Amino acid sequence: MDLFEEDDIFPLTENLSNSFVDPSNLVSCVPGQMYPIGMENFRQKKKPVQKSKSIPLTNSVTMARHRWHMAAAKLKRLKDPWTEFDLNKYPTEIVIRHRYNAIKKEWITDECKVKIEDKQFANGAMRACFRLKKLSNFVHKESWEHAANYVAKSYMDKSIERERYFDDVRLQMDAKLWAEIFNRHNPPKKIDMFQMSILEFVNRDGSPLFHLEHFIEGEYIKYNSNSGFVEDTRSTPQAFSHFTFECSNHELMVVDVQGVGDLYTDPQIHTAKGDDYGDGNLGCKGFALFFSSHVCNRVCRSIGLTEFDLSPNELDKLHSKKAQTSLASYSAATICRGGEELVVGSPTSFCEILRRRVRNMSTCSDDLESEGYESSSSSPMSPHSAKPISFNRPSQSNPIAINGARMRTQSGCLDSAFSYDEAASYFNKIDARKHFKPKPSCVNGQQRLMKNFDHFEDDDDEEENLDTQNESILGQVHLEMAKYHEMGRFTEQTNSGYDFYDQESAFFHLKQAADLGLKEALVNMAKIYLQMPHDLLSNYSVTENELNNEIGFDYLTKSADLEDKNSLFVLAKAYESGVNLPKSKQIDWNLASVYYKKLLQMIEEESASEDDAGYSDTFAQCDPNYLILACLAEMNLKGGHKMPKNAAIAANLYTEAADKAIQYGKGRIANKYYMLAEEAAASQDEQES
């Protein structure tokens, strides 16, 4: 047998010329096919397929459970990627774990056993990372071979207050709760946030604190930042940020979305007031920066989100191919208040720059700077890096009920601060779709909502979802975008700096803010149309004609109704003298008197705590109160333009004007008003006699 090759012993029928088989001894089994004698069964017989035991997948719950069993079996076969680092050699330490319950808004503490390496394996701009193993609190045997892998993070700056650790956890757990709310609106793909907690090493000097997160292998990607960067090859992360803005009634937005697949970590939350959640909270400026580079995608549309209004120029820029290749200097780093980065058009070209940081672990994302980590040792994981694992979600899943529909939630509650029953009670007690009804991001939708407010005055639930504040948050976002345009934030820099900006886009957003009733926008729009000097878009102007004059006067009236003092003065002056009054309006001293009196009342209230007795720099564009009183006295003394003549009222107003003039040190003017008051009183006596 050693004299023959294997191919000679079992020759192929197509090539028998060099074999030891005599072709005359072949039998025909199938017409056109020849097989060696005795080889028919060998070549035709197939191995019987062994049917695996199958579980009847009657519903989505059974299907989900079956998939988890398969995933668990696969995990058991995987090798521990940290075996080579031998964490078992480190001493076992008993620590106190602090977890935040985002539902009850309270902290929960318990004890854990951990092993942590003494040297960091990576660091970012602010935090250092350490490998850690933690025993489950549900096991009765101390077996470190099956202990879970975690990453512990600590701030390298030891002067940072301990409260900062707790604020970071609270932020991430609040974002995790928003992820659950997002999932219950049935997006195409479910998402989740890393479960984050705090470990307090009570047996060490100073009881140092560490952030604790699970170690996950995979490709780490930053999908957006808190300052306008958007990595738009994925739709779900951007839709999640947009969703939180609408579903929170424009009160907040979860940004800085980053992680492995749809498992996110280290987010940032913007709030409308700009307070809470650290220095990365940029307030309405952060909202504006996100929408400056966000175009609604298929996921946004699938869950019913509305598109944020952008100007035609902005939309063209976001969709143009040129914009995708002209942003090499655009940063995806998270920034702090006061250091807002320059946003240059659409940041889609950074897909090439940031696709990119292939992280061997997902939990080593930096917090504020979000810069890449510098490894201080070998690779933190096995050389055979695994790709992000994606789990298929059950079809026809219930967006509200937790029981069985989302098995991940139940399994995730082992490390969660709130129990599975608490989560089920929270989401099943309320109808998530009704309770978290999104408020539209478009101006037209917001205007319709404001017009329908009267229909829901008796409905407390609906009233809570409406914007009852004087200032529209969406309007403030548009105002911030107008300011950013004027500052050149969205303009490409030339050698000579920012020589120009998109004035039409800036005016577009200023108009959107005015249409939503924002006082500052209304004032500036009125001044632009009435050809008056204005602070915002100071170089922008419109054609001077009767139509624009009508539009400007309408804006002026709206801003006066919102108690803008300078608008009240200009409007009163228009009805008194006809200056800036459109042809469709007539001089009306009664209306002028109403606006003048309202202005005087506001001046008195404003100056109640001041020493200038009724005048301050706030009213620099208004006449002093004694001049306004004298003007009212003169109108009452003369009469006309729908105002009856009344010398008695004029005398009282002149006397009051004289008293105010004395407070300003205007003695000669005060004497003049006293004389006019006497003349008006005498005139009244003559009329009565």
Side-chain angles (χ1 to χ4, degrees):
M1 293 294 292
D2 295 338
L3 299 176
F4 305 106
E5 296 293 336
E6 185 177 358
D7 289 341
D8 294 331
I9 300 175
F10 303 107
L12 297 176
T13 58
E14 292 83 0
N15 185 15
L16 302 178
S17 59
N18 298 325
S19 70
F20 291 90
V21 178
D22 186 359
S24 62
N25 293 329
L26 297 179
V27 294
S28 177
C29 299
V30 180
Q33 296 184 4
M34 305 294 291
Y35 295 94
I37 296 175
M39 301 298 292
E40 302 92 340
N41 293 335
F42 178 82
R43 296 202 179 256
Q44 288 183 332
K45 188 176 181 180
K46 296 182 179 180
K47 294 183 179 180
V49 178
Q50 295 182 355
K51 296 183 179 181
S52 59
K53 296 181 180 180
S54 60
I55 301 176
L57 305 180
T58 57
N59 53 48
S60 60
V61 177
T62 306
M63 186 182 298
R65 185 180 293 110
H66 177 62
R67 286 172 178 157
W68 274 106
H69 288 166
M70 293 175 61
K74 182 177 179 180
L75 288 174
K76 288 181 179 180
R77 295 193 298 268
L78 292 178
K79 181 182 177 182
D80 184 359
W82 282 359
T83 302
E84 59 183 294
F85 303 113
D86 193 18
L87 266 65
N88 293 332
K89 66 182 180 182
Y90 296 101
T92 301
E93 300 186 61
I94 298 178
V95 300
I96 295 179
R97 179 174 57 171
H98 301 267
R99 293 174 294 166
Y100 180 69
N101 188 326
I103 294 178
K104 293 185 176 181
K105 306 297 182 184
E106 63 183 19
W107 290 89
I108 300 173
T109 60
D110 59 359
E111 286 189 353
C112 300
K113 292 182 179 181
V114 300
K115 288 180 179 287
I116 183 172
E117 61 182 358
D118 54 3
K119 293 183 180 180
Q120 68 185 53
F121 70 88
N123 67 275
M126 298 191 69
R127 295 188 294 182
C129 296
F130 302 82
R131 299 183 188 89
L132 180 144
K133 281 186 174 290
K134 184 183 78 69
L135 280 180
S136 172
N137 289 359
F138 296 93
V139 300
H140 303 286
K141 183 179 179 181
E142 188 171 313
S143 175
W144 291 98
E145 290 77 11
H146 302 289
N149 294 334
Y150 288 82
V151 174
K153 304 178 183 178
S154 67
Y155 284 104
M156 293 182 289
D157 184 2
K158 301 306 178 184
S159 63
I160 291 180
E161 298 180 357
R162 294 169 68 89
E163 190 65 25
R164 174 70 175 274
Y165 286 86
F166 292 89
D167 290 341
D168 292 342
V169 172
R170 183 170 58 87
L171 187 157
Q172 185 150 329
M173 292 301 97
D174 285 345
K176 182 179 179 68
L177 190 60
W178 277 107
E180 293 292 340
I181 298 171
F182 175 75
N183 290 339
R184 278 159 182 77
H185 281 71
N186 256 351
K189 291 185 178 180
K190 308 293 186 181
I191 66 171
D192 199 2
M193 290 281 173
F194 271 96
Q195 181 68 38
M196 188 179 185
S197 57
I198 297 174
L199 293 185
E200 182 178 6
F201 287 75
V202 292
N203 295 324
R204 296 187 182 184
D205 294 338
S207 299
L209 301 178
F210 288 81
H211 284 140
L212 184 69
E213 291 182 356
H214 276 282
F215 168 80
I216 302 294
E217 298 176 340
E219 181 182 2
Y220 184 93
I221 299 177
K222 184 162 187 173
Y223 299 109
N224 63 41
S225 73
N226 72 333
S227 53
F229 165 78
V230 170
E231 200 274 333
D232 60 358
T233 58
R234 289 290 316 281
S235 299
T236 300
Q238 318 311 332
F240 171 58
S241 294
H242 187 179
F243 169 84
T244 56
F245 176 76
E246 286 200 3
C247 204
S248 67
N249 290 329
H250 303 171
E251 290 291 339
L252 60 82
M253 177 187 289
V254 179
V255 292
D256 228 1
V257 179
Q258 52 196 305
V260 175
D262 287 313
L263 182 59
Y264 307 144
T265 185
D266 284 344
Q268 176 61 55
I269 297 180
H270 295 315
T271 60
K273 296 181 180 179
D275 56 359
D276 207 358
Y277 297 121
D279 292 335
N281 179 4
L282 304 181
C284 288
K285 291 183 175 65
F287 298 160
L289 290 172
F290 172 80
F291 284 118
S292 69
S293 53
H294 172 68
V295 177
C296 278
N297 52 55
R298 58 185 180 84
V299 179
C300 295
R301 291 185 286 271
S302 71
I303 57 178
L305 302 181
T306 56
E307 292 194 21
F308 183 84
D309 296 289
L310 295 174
S311 70
N313 291 344
E314 291 172 315
L315 290 174
D316 290 343
K317 193 171 184 179
L318 286 173
H319 290 109
S320 67
K321 294 182 179 180
K322 182 178 179 180
Q324 299 179 12
T325 58
S326 62
L327 302 171
S329 60
Y330 189 85
S331 173
T334 308
I335 61 174
C336 301
R337 274 194 296 269
E340 291 88 338
E341 64 180 309
L342 178 65
V343 179
V344 187
S346 169
T348 52
S349 67
F350 260 72
C351 303
E352 301 299 331
I353 297 176
L354 284 187
R355 182 178 279 290
R356 53 199 186 223
R357 303 188 307 174
V358 178
R359 298 284 181 84
N360 290 327
M361 55 169 297
S362 67
T363 57
C364 275
S365 61
D366 203 0
D367 31 36
L368 292 181
E369 284 70 9
S370 296
E371 298 174 354
Y373 277 77
E374 297 178 357
S375 177
S376 59
S377 65
S378 60
S379 174
M381 58 167 285
S382 171
H384 304 287
S385 176
K387 293 183 178 180
I389 300 175
S390 61
F391 297 97
N392 295 327
R393 63 185 179 94
S395 59
Q396 306 296 330
S397 60
N398 188 337
I400 307 300
I402 286 185
N403 295 323
R406 299 187 67 240
M407 302 301 293
R408 176 186 57 76
T409 304
Q410 185 172 0
S411 63
C413 287
L414 294 178
D415 269 341
S416 177
F418 52 84
S419 66
Y420 172 71
D421 292 336
E422 288 176 342
S425 175
Y426 177 77
F427 286 107
N428 293 336
K429 185 177 181 180
I430 60 175
D431 187 330
R433 283 184 176 271
K434 180 179 179 180
H435 186 78
F436 299 103
K437 186 177 181 180
K439 180 186 290 186
S441 302
C442 62
V443 173
N444 288 337
Q446 180 73 0
Q447 287 177 325
R448 288 195 299 269
L449 199 64
M450 295 168 67
K451 288 180 181 178
N452 294 333
F453 175 74
D454 294 336
H455 298 288
F456 303 109
E457 286 183 347
D458 298 329
D459 192 335
D460 294 337
D461 293 335
E462 293 289 347
E463 188 171 352
E464 290 178 0
N465 289 331
L466 294 174
D467 205 353
T468 58
Q469 302 176 357
N470 293 331
E471 297 289 315
S472 166
I473 297 174
L474 186 61
Q476 187 65 42
V477 175
H478 280 284
L479 182 63
E480 294 296 342
M481 290 197 68
K483 293 179 179 179
Y484 272 139
H485 272 291
E486 187 178 25
M487 295 166 58
R489 292 275 180 172
F490 308 132
T491 305
E492 296 183 14
Q493 186 176 10
T494 61
N495 294 333
S496 57
Y498 299 98
D499 298 332
F500 65 94
Y501 67 92
D502 189 351
Q503 292 188 349
E504 293 301 325
S505 294
F507 182 75
F508 172 86
H509 288 292
L510 184 63
K511 182 180 184 302
Q512 301 300 312
D515 290 344
L516 289 172
L518 205 68
K519 185 193 298 185
E520 184 179 355
L522 287 168
V523 170
N524 280 276
M525 288 293 290
K527 291 180 177 179
I528 289 174
Y529 277 100
L530 294 175
Q531 310 298 319
M532 300 171 64
H534 46 280
D535 298 327
L536 280 178
L537 313 185
S538 57
N539 296 327
Y540 186 85
S541 62
V542 297
T543 305
E544 186 176 1
N545 54 44
E546 186 58 30
L547 177 60
N548 286 339
N549 193 34
E550 290 276 359
I551 296 174
F553 195 81
D554 183 57
Y555 281 124
L556 183 67
T557 304
K558 291 179 180 178
S559 58
D561 292 340
L562 292 176
E563 300 184 345
D564 178 72
K565 304 171 187 65
N566 292 325
S567 297
L568 283 169
F569 177 75
V570 174
L571 191 61
K573 206 70 175 176
Y575 280 113
E576 177 208 346
S577 62
V579 178
N580 293 321
L581 196 67
K583 292 181 179 180
S584 61
K585 306 291 183 182
Q586 295 180 350
I587 295 177
D588 189 335
W589 282 3
N590 270 329
L591 279 177
S593 177
V594 170
Y595 288 120
Y596 273 138
K597 289 178 180 179
K598 189 174 183 179
L599 176 61
L600 288 171
Q601 180 182 356
M602 295 181 65
I603 292 177
E604 291 297 330
E605 293 174 354
E606 185 79 13
S607 60
S609 59
E610 298 180 3
D611 298 331
D612 56 5
Y615 190 73
S616 67
D617 292 339
T618 306
F619 314 102
Q621 298 180 19
C622 304
D623 288 344
N625 52 7
Y626 61 86
L627 290 179
I628 297 175
L629 288 167
C631 181
L632 285 171
E634 184 178 359
M635 288 190 294
N636 279 274
L637 184 61
K638 292 182 178 180
H641 299 294
K642 301 181 181 180
M643 174 178 280
K645 183 178 180 180
N646 194 323
I649 295 178
N652 292 333
L653 289 171
Y654 273 129
T655 301
E656 187 177 356
D659 295 340
K660 295 295 183 182
I662 290 177
Q663 294 178 4
Y664 276 95
K666 305 292 183 179
R668 296 177 61 182
I669 296 178
N671 291 332
K672 176 184 176 181
Y673 290 157
Y674 280 130
M675 291 176 59
L676 292 173
E678 292 176 359
E679 294 176 0
S683 174
Q684 179 67 20
D685 292 339
E686 291 177 359
Q687 292 178 2
E688 292 177 355
S689 62

